[in-house]
Amino acid sequence: MAVKGELILVRHGKAENREVGKADFDRLLTDKGKAELAEFMQTLLPILEKKPYLIWTSPLLRAKQTAVVFQQALQLDQVVEKDFLASGDLDALKQALNQLNEHFAVICVGHEPILSSWVKTLTGQAIPFKKTGVASLLFEEEVRLDWRLAPK
């Protein structure tokens, strides 16, 4: 990849269980998931230096709810839905990153097993993403895992 920057991958918070008759798309964060995410943001905020982050999210409701928590905590203007965060299309992610200026800073809120698959493909490292788990990838000459965190 030609551009350089930081990609923060975030798995959505704890969501409602799958139910017969309810579309996976419509599953919301649980109250426990919202509380855990809010508490975890206190740990994340000092790590997420004041950068002009872009926030991209899967269109699924639980991911959009998670992205809004990041948006509000970082006082950013908007969250942009990206279908590739639900479909797992890594080439589409790469194309979107290549359209940005060098030294991008993007937070992507998505799902498993997509996120761990992307990390493995991009860095060669296999890491699991617990709910609300976060990993930072640095795009330099190569892509490398910089750090990762998950709620306790």
Side-chain angles (χ1 to χ4, degrees):
M1 293 190 60
V3 295
K4 295 181 180 181
E6 180 181 26
L7 177 65
I8 306 276
L9 298 176
V10 180
R11 184 177 178 192
H12 64 78
K14 289 181 182 169
E16 298 170 322
N17 292 329
R18 296 176 190 265
E19 295 178 17
V20 175
K22 184 168 188 169
D24 184 52
F25 184 95
D26 295 327
R27 291 172 46 219
L28 301 172
L29 294 179
T30 63
D31 288 341
K32 182 178 179 180
K34 291 175 190 173
E36 187 175 74
L37 180 57
E39 182 179 329
F40 189 47
M41 284 306 298
Q42 301 310 308
T43 301
L44 281 176
L45 276 175
I47 297 169
L48 299 175
E49 302 167 24
K50 284 291 182 186
K51 290 183 183 176
Y53 282 105
L54 298 174
I55 299 181
W56 296 344
T57 184
S58 156
L60 279 67
L61 294 181
R62 59 194 178 274
K64 287 170 46 175
Q65 287 180 298
T66 301
V68 167
V69 172
F70 276 81
Q71 175 195 15
Q72 291 172 346
L74 295 168
Q75 301 175 348
L76 299 172
D77 291 336
Q78 66 178 344
V79 171
V80 178
E81 289 182 27
K82 298 285 187 180
D83 288 336
F84 59 75
L85 284 160
S87 70
D89 186 345
L90 181 57
D91 289 333
L93 169 67
K94 289 177 180 178
Q95 288 174 354
L97 293 174
N98 277 324
Q99 292 175 0
L100 301 175
N101 294 329
E102 191 166 309
H103 305 296
F104 65 82
V106 178
I107 296 170
C108 286
V109 182
H111 311 274
E112 273 293 85
I114 293 167
L115 298 177
S116 57
S117 171
W118 285 358
V119 171
K120 176 76 172 162
T121 301
L122 292 168
T123 70
Q125 291 185 263
I127 65 164
F129 274 84
K130 293 183 178 183
K131 289 185 175 84
T132 314
V134 179
S136 170
L137 304 182
L138 293 182
F139 285 69
E140 297 166 332
E141 277 67 42
E142 295 181 354
V143 181
R144 69 177 174 85
L145 178 65
D146 188 34
W147 55 265
R148 63 179 225 178
L149 285 172
K152 294 179 183 176

